[in-house]
Amino acid sequence: MRGMGLSEGTVGGVSRLWGKSAARNGGRTHLLLGHLLDTAAVAEVMWERYLSAALRHRLEEVSGGRGRLWFMWICGIHDCGKACPAFQALDDAEAAPVRAAGLGWGRLPTDRRQRWRHDVAGAALLRPRLVAEWGSSESAAWVWPLVAGHHGTFPSVQGLKLNPKHREVQGRGAAWDEAQRAVVDVFTRAVGFVDLADARPAGALNRAEQLALSGLIVMADWIASDSEQFEGIADAQKVSLASARQRAEAAWQRLGLRGGWNELAVPEGRLAPLTGRLGVSPRASQQELVERAWSMPVPGLMVAEAPMGEGKTKAALAAAEVLAARFGLDGVFVAMPTQATSDPMYEQVLEWVRTFDPELEAQVALLHGKRRFNPTWREIWESKRKGPVGESGQGEESVALDPFDAYGAIEEDAEYGMSSWPSAGTCGPQEGRDSGPARWFLGNKRGLLTAFAVGTVDHLLHAATRTRHVMLRFAGLVGKVVVVDEVHAADVYMRQFLLEALRWLGQAKVPVVLLSATLPPAQRQACVDAYLSGALSMADAVCPVPEPAGYPCVTVAWALNGASVAESSREVVPSWRASTPTRIDWLPDVAHDGKLLASTVRQEVADGGVALVVVNQVDRAQAIHRALMEAGFEGQVQLLHGRLCAAHRAERTEACLRLLGPEAGEERPGRMVVIATQLAEQSFDVDADLLITDLAPVDLLLQRIGRLHRHSGTRRPSAFGEPRVLVTGVVAGEGGRPRILPASKSIYGEWALLRAAALVAEAAGPLSGGTRQKSGWSIPADVPGLVARAYGEAELCPSDWGEAAAREAWRAKEQQREKNAEGFLLTRPREWAAPTLEGLHYAGVRAASEEDLDAVVRDGKRSVEAVIVRRSPGGYRAIDGTWIGVHGEVDDETVIGRLLGGTVRLPSRLTEAAEAEGTGLVPLPGWVGHPWLRYAPALVLEEDGTAVLGQDRVSYDDVVGLVVQRG
């Protein structure tokens, strides 16, 4: 500072400005300049070992060849706004030396609503200087929001304007002006620029790239704010970039952080990712996808449509390798429709990643709330947990925690819901674990920052919502290849977030691979248009997708030099197996007792065979199971639905995959019935001889049929040589019009079900009986045609079915759901030409917690997860009978696992009763101080095995699951 010619008064003042208070920084004050340099040093390590080659290339372009230096500068400058009275006054002990150095202030507002935040203060002091010294309002316009948004939201430019009555909060007088200029100038010089003018970027990132950069700034800040890794320095003489670099290097090593492939080599052969890496003999559809990945000139969108069991996911992983190697990407995120489908995909991605480098296995995250029940996850991520119970820093596991991250927290962050500084051990070091998993990535909102991740599609959708710290989620997607499986599973509401995500990913030049067996043509077109809208930075790009030559098929889309391209498979791509005639029959039934379906199953498999029964309602599945058991069924039975506790659901899913999966072999039972809800519809790799299914929209019926005769080489009883489907959940009503289960209509809407019934009737004959018109469907040849007809404009139903009225009701509801989603989307409608992040959070944050966010992207009624415990004489027991103490207290890892295995999601209609103040569900007294349990409501079953929730009585049966008796 003295070498720069600053006055002694300024040097003295800047040397006292604090960035982290002793009270919240492990007992040691950390000077502001020290924290800025720590953050810049962390950014430098991230540049070398974390950022993808593609992102480094873009930063080199935008900085005129000084990418590393500029990235260090923008990450470090983020907290310059702490050089203002509003921040410096937050801690009395820290404020005293500042005031003594001549940086004083008068009375500051005490009303929290008028509090001047340091992120906004930083943008307010930096913006006019950038305009003046860079000589470019355009350059300043996209840089200042990166400073203003580092606590999670981007204000409008109007938000930088001070109330004249409160000018004191920013600092009044020459001393403050000089100190604030000095903080910026000293940091800028210390990092390596000559002066602030020298830091002017040579170009601009687009808005999606800015969002990703903002997330990386937050990441660097959170790492540098960890007092366990960065001890406070209160003596300005000891602050330097050299020491910050040593600290950052040591912290990176201790935390076990790393990126992914680090510039993946281009495969030697075009099909090597399939034949060598995955060890498969390429099917035509797999080869088509990989060849298309080679042919795209720039990152773009790929849509692979192929029959169930065709091997789309392996082809997508092979394509991801090609795309990553060609375009400098560092990892992959695979998005699945549900938690249940994420687990088997996690195993597949683990196996794939090991082939690149065995050490990368520990960099694969499983992102969903029940991952602790996945044995492979536990083995990799939790087997060497350190510290006492609950103090191992297992991120979401250890933090059920506070809804927002504690890193960088200070009193002013309370309005963000952020807690005070964490206690020792919350994210402890990992000495000697360089090749182990980096637990830091398990923290709240950080999962996508791991190099490789498999999780529910919600994580992708969350990155498209206008919520706090959305930039951190988005930063975890940029630099990766994004694969979305079962993309058809997104309903019209979820689809708005998917399309929004595709727009942002297209603008960020992130390659995306969408997979589906049953994608309506309109959805394919919508996905292409959304991605290209982002890639072209325009509101409504329309690029008609040519009709594919056949099925399977691959559609690709990209933008280059301001022009868009969309192509589909020009030649017929043969499926790996010939189409098979599948017999379709009706089994009219809407009874609640399940007896007809149970009787039918018993008859069908009397001489052996595997039947899969898929119904649309948990109560119906339970009733069928009960009727089957009461009739004395001899054979294996599995009941799988969403009201099973976590441990039982995981065990049964694993059992079904083991007994009926592709590797079942001799383990395949001679006689078995699986009764399931929609859980069996997606990525459930089992092979059934017979399917009985409730009526559902045609694309979902076809998904269910995809579990039928799925694997080659399966030995079946002779009676099941032909695939056969019985469609139930419907009976003939007045005039032959289908009378459909009310629960099915509530879930799917009447219009889609009527059209499905019409298409089934073409194959099975009239529902009311009569002459059969044809032998069934040819699968997979008929799949695209059936889906296209089901969602087309032409009427399918007989005139007396009331199809037109049902269509209008469906359209009105769909339009309303689209409108409902708009309020949560990250971007205002039709604002894709906006060049900066300024005002992105234009209407505030719309979700207060992670649970709220899940409800936001799923459009479901809020539901509550509770931990089932059983009251016992003198205390409580876990669901499996394990004793957990007089007040529920637990002090053993194994017991905690058994206890949380009893977690169950309550039906949405019980939510209000479960959350009712005074009478709702609350944690047990012994859980209050435990980080995993303190927010977990307990569903206490009394000694008679029941509990009362509102007007309903609930119980839990180890076989049937949660049972609700209506009051």
Side-chain angles (χ1 to χ4, degrees):
M1 287 192 281
R2 291 192 175 102
M4 292 172 64
L6 298 178
S7 70
E8 283 302 312
T10 299
V11 171
V14 173
S15 297
R16 297 292 185 274
L17 292 172
W18 62 277
K20 303 291 176 185
S21 69
R24 294 172 180 261
N25 193 55
R28 292 176 64 105
T29 301
H30 195 31
L31 294 179
L32 175 56
L33 281 175
H35 175 59
L36 302 188
L37 288 172
D38 285 345
T39 309
V42 170
E44 185 175 37
V45 180
M46 289 169 59
W47 176 275
E48 295 289 345
R49 304 188 204 169
Y50 182 78
L51 267 63
S52 68
L55 188 52
R56 290 199 304 270
H57 176 70
R58 279 296 290 135
L59 290 172
E60 291 281 12
E61 285 182 334
V62 81
S63 65
R66 297 185 293 178
R68 179 196 284 105
L69 184 57
W70 198 84
F71 183 59
M72 293 171 65
W73 179 81
I74 192 61
C75 287
I77 202 69
H78 77 283
D79 257 353
C80 65
K82 287 185 174 178
C84 73
F87 182 86
Q88 294 296 310
L90 286 173
D91 186 293
D92 291 341
E94 306 292 355
V98 177
R99 303 188 83 155
L103 294 175
W105 52 83
R107 185 175 179 180
L108 302 178
T110 57
D111 187 340
R112 184 177 295 276
R113 292 170 297 179
Q114 296 175 344
R115 182 165 289 169
W116 187 236
R117 297 190 51 79
H118 76 259
D119 44 5
V120 176
L125 73 86
L126 197 59
R127 179 171 170 264
R129 288 200 62 189
L130 296 183
V131 173
E133 298 184 41
W134 287 358
S136 167
S137 57
E138 289 79 12
S139 295
W142 72 269
V143 171
W144 73 255
L146 300 176
V147 174
H150 80 264
H151 267 293
T153 60
F154 298 99
S156 67
V157 70
Q158 287 76 23
L160 306 187
K161 295 178 181 178
L162 266 171
N163 184 327
K165 296 188 296 184
H166 301 145
R167 181 71 180 83
E168 196 77 22
V169 294
Q170 182 74 350
R172 192 189 298 271
W176 272 110
D177 288 343
E178 290 172 13
Q180 289 168 348
R181 289 185 67 87
V183 166
V184 173
D185 292 342
V186 170
F187 167 74
T188 301
R189 177 81 68 89
V191 166
F193 284 113
V194 174
D195 52 25
L196 187 58
D198 190 34
R200 175 184 172 179
L205 298 175
N206 65 43
R207 193 164 63 150
E209 293 167 336
Q210 293 167 32
L211 189 65
L213 176 56
S214 176
L216 295 170
I217 293 169
V218 174
M219 178 179 173
D221 179 29
W222 284 6
I223 293 171
S225 295
D226 184 348
S227 64
E228 293 182 11
Q229 314 302 330
F230 292 84
E231 194 176 64
I233 300 176
D235 183 354
Q237 298 279 5
K238 297 180 180 179
V239 172
S240 70
L241 180 60
S243 67
R245 280 172 163 155
Q246 293 176 352
R247 289 149 61 89
E249 176 65 33
W252 192 265
Q253 292 291 340
R254 284 197 300 267
L255 291 171
L257 300 172
R258 62 161 293 167
W261 283 309
N262 188 22
E263 300 194 43
L264 183 64
V266 175
E268 293 183 1
R270 294 179 76 83
L271 295 181
L274 277 170
T275 57
R277 181 82 58 203
L278 291 163
V280 302
S281 298
R283 296 167 178 167
S285 61
Q286 294 174 319
Q287 185 170 337
E288 171 82 353
L289 185 62
V290 174
E291 289 287 358
R292 287 286 184 166
W294 281 107
S295 67
M296 285 198 302
V298 292
L301 176 71
M302 309 183 75
V303 185
E305 299 169 65
M308 297 69 73
E310 184 79 11
K312 294 186 290 295
T313 52
K314 286 190 175 180
L317 294 179
E321 179 182 351
V322 173
L323 294 168
R326 292 185 61 218
F327 300 123
L329 288 314
D330 199 45
V332 171
F333 172 54
V334 181
M336 304 298 295
T338 63
Q339 293 179 358
T341 57
S342 297
D343 281 356
M345 180 55 64
Y346 172 62
E347 303 282 352
Q348 190 169 336
V349 171
L350 272 177
E351 186 177 342
W352 175 64
V353 165
R354 287 189 201 110
T355 66
F356 295 96
D357 180 352
E359 289 190 359
L360 287 177
E361 174 190 76
Q363 311 307 320
V364 184
L366 176 60
L367 305 181
H368 67 68
K370 300 295 185 301
R371 64 187 178 193
R372 65 178 293 112
F373 301 106
N374 181 291
T376 308
W377 168 267
R378 289 200 305 271
E379 181 182 349
I380 295 174
W381 288 82
E382 299 185 1
S383 60
K384 296 184 180 179
R385 176 181 283 118
K386 297 186 176 186
V389 173
E391 289 191 358
S392 59
Q394 304 294 309
E396 292 159 359
E397 280 86 348
S398 67
V399 223
L401 305 196
D402 301 312
F404 298 102
D405 203 289
Y407 286 101
I410 194 66
E411 181 187 340
E412 65 173 357
D413 294 320
E415 66 193 70
Y416 280 0
M418 296 169 74
S419 69
S420 60
W421 202 260
S423 59
T426 51
C427 197
Q430 292 181 218
E431 285 125 350
R433 295 287 312 283
D434 289 350
S435 63
R439 297 186 184 119
W440 187 90
F441 289 124
L442 296 186
N444 207 6
K445 308 179 183 178
R446 287 177 261 169
L448 285 174
L449 293 170
T450 49
F452 306 96
V454 178
T456 55
V457 71
D458 304 61
H459 291 271
L460 173 63
L461 306 184
H462 290 170
T465 57
R466 194 177 65 258
T467 48
R468 195 174 307 284
H469 290 121
V470 66
M471 72 285 289
L472 201 62
R473 303 179 194 278
F474 192 71
L477 297 172
V478 174
K480 290 183 174 67
V481 180
V482 174
V483 178
V484 186
D485 200 4
E486 310 275 13
V487 69
H488 58 271
D491 62 19
V492 68
Y493 182 89
M494 292 175 64
R495 204 176 307 138
Q496 306 313 305
F497 297 97
L498 175 62
L499 297 177
E500 179 76 351
L502 289 175
R503 284 188 280 267
W504 283 88
L505 293 172
Q507 192 174 51
K509 301 178 179 62
V510 174
V512 178
V513 184
L514 305 181
L515 307 177
S516 178
T518 55
L519 192 65
Q523 287 188 36
R524 180 202 307 141
Q525 183 68 57
C527 290
V528 167
D529 289 342
Y531 189 91
L532 292 176
S533 291
L536 296 168
S537 296
M538 59 187 294
D540 293 305
V542 178
C543 187
V545 177
E547 186 68 26
Y551 177 77
C553 63
V554 175
T555 299
V556 292
W558 67 83
L560 184 61
N561 299 325
S564 60
V565 176
E567 299 177 350
S568 288
S569 300
R570 304 181 193 89
E571 298 178 1
V572 174
V573 178
S575 177
W576 73 278
R577 61 180 178 183
S579 281
T580 304
T582 300
R583 182 182 174 92
I584 313 292
D585 290 307
W586 291 111
L587 177 59
D589 175 63
V590 291
H592 297 295
D593 57 17
K595 290 183 178 179
L596 177 59
L597 268 63
S599 172
T600 302
V601 167
R602 289 181 65 229
Q603 293 172 21
E604 291 288 347
V605 298
D607 296 323
V610 175
L612 172 63
V613 181
V614 183
V615 294
N616 297 338
Q617 190 180 23
V618 173
D619 291 346
R620 184 164 162 83
Q622 291 174 328
I624 296 166
H625 180 274
R626 195 175 295 113
L628 190 62
M629 293 296 96
E630 288 172 354
F633 180 75
E634 296 182 4
Q636 291 200 38
V637 180
Q638 289 285 359
L639 176 62
L640 190 59
H641 57 72
R643 282 191 225 155
L644 294 171
C645 71
H648 293 161
R649 180 167 162 179
E651 290 166 4
R652 294 184 197 181
T653 300
E654 189 278 332
C656 289
L657 294 173
R658 174 172 49 82
L659 296 173
L660 303 178
E663 308 299 326
E666 296 299 321
E667 272 200 273
R668 183 179 174 89
R671 182 185 294 107
M672 183 174 181
V673 177
V674 178
I675 304 167
T677 56
Q678 293 92 331
L679 298 180
E681 196 169 88
Q682 301 157 343
S683 299
F684 190 55
D685 196 7
V686 299
D687 183 335
D689 301 321
L690 169 73
L691 172 68
I692 301 177
T693 172
D694 274 348
L695 183 68
V698 161
D699 52 331
L700 303 183
L701 278 181
L702 292 168
Q703 288 291 331
R704 297 174 187 185
I705 292 172
R707 317 304 132 194
L708 190 59
H709 288 224
R710 183 179 179 91
H711 303 140
S712 59
T714 301
R715 287 181 296 178
R716 311 179 196 282
S718 57
F720 297 109
E722 176 188 39
R724 191 155 60 92
V725 181
L726 301 178
V727 180
T728 187
V730 59
V731 296
E734 186 177 343
R737 175 176 174 154
R739 183 161 61 86
I740 303 166
L741 282 167
S744 298
K745 289 196 289 186
S746 175
I747 296 167
Y748 301 116
E750 188 177 28
W751 177 72
L753 294 172
L754 287 175
R755 291 175 74 84
L759 291 171
V760 169
E762 291 179 4
L767 181 58
S768 55
T771 306
R772 186 184 182 87
Q773 296 183 25
K774 58 178 286 190
S775 60
W777 290 336
S778 181
I779 305 294
D782 287 348
V783 168
L786 287 167
V787 174
R789 290 181 65 200
Y791 291 97
E793 294 297 321
E795 289 200 4
L796 292 177
C797 304
S799 57
D800 54 356
W801 282 17
E803 179 183 0
R807 182 197 292 267
E808 287 309 307
W810 172 81
R811 279 183 173 163
K813 186 175 181 180
E814 297 285 277
Q815 289 169 1
Q816 184 59 52
R817 295 184 74 201
E818 284 186 26
K819 187 174 181 181
N820 292 345
E822 272 186 14
F824 295 94
L825 295 178
L826 185 50
T827 315
R828 284 185 183 98
R830 306 186 60 78
E831 274 205 357
W832 268 97
T836 78
L837 296 170
E838 186 259 324
L840 186 68
H841 289 83
Y842 62 94
V845 176
R846 299 299 304 273
S849 69
E850 295 297 299
E851 291 75 17
D852 290 338
L853 192 51
D854 288 338
V856 161
V857 299
R858 289 278 178 175
D859 191 31
K861 296 176 181 176
R862 270 184 57 87
S863 60
V864 171
E865 281 195 329
V867 179
I868 297 174
V869 295
R870 302 184 188 276
R871 195 182 297 278
S872 183
Y876 300 94
R877 295 186 182 276
I879 194 169
D880 68 349
T882 301
W883 175 253
I884 57 171
V886 176
H887 303 292
E889 53 271 63
V890 286
D891 58 1
D892 179 85
E893 289 287 338
T894 303
V895 174
I896 292 170
R898 291 175 178 172
L899 177 62
L900 291 178
T903 304
V904 67
R905 186 167 294 279
L906 304 179
S908 57
R909 69 186 183 87
L910 296 183
T911 299
E912 187 175 336
E915 294 182 332
E917 189 172 348
T919 59
L921 304 182
V922 296
L924 293 182
W927 298 356
V928 172
H930 196 287
W932 294 345
L933 300 172
R934 58 183 169 179
Y935 297 126
L939 176 60
V940 180
L941 302 181
E942 302 298 336
E943 293 186 42
D944 67 354
T946 71
V948 175
L949 272 179
Q951 301 299 312
D952 297 303
R953 184 172 294 276
V954 298
S955 60
Y956 189 87
D957 182 276
D958 287 347
V959 176
V960 175
L962 191 76
V963 178
V964 181
Q965 294 177 302
R966 300 176 187 274

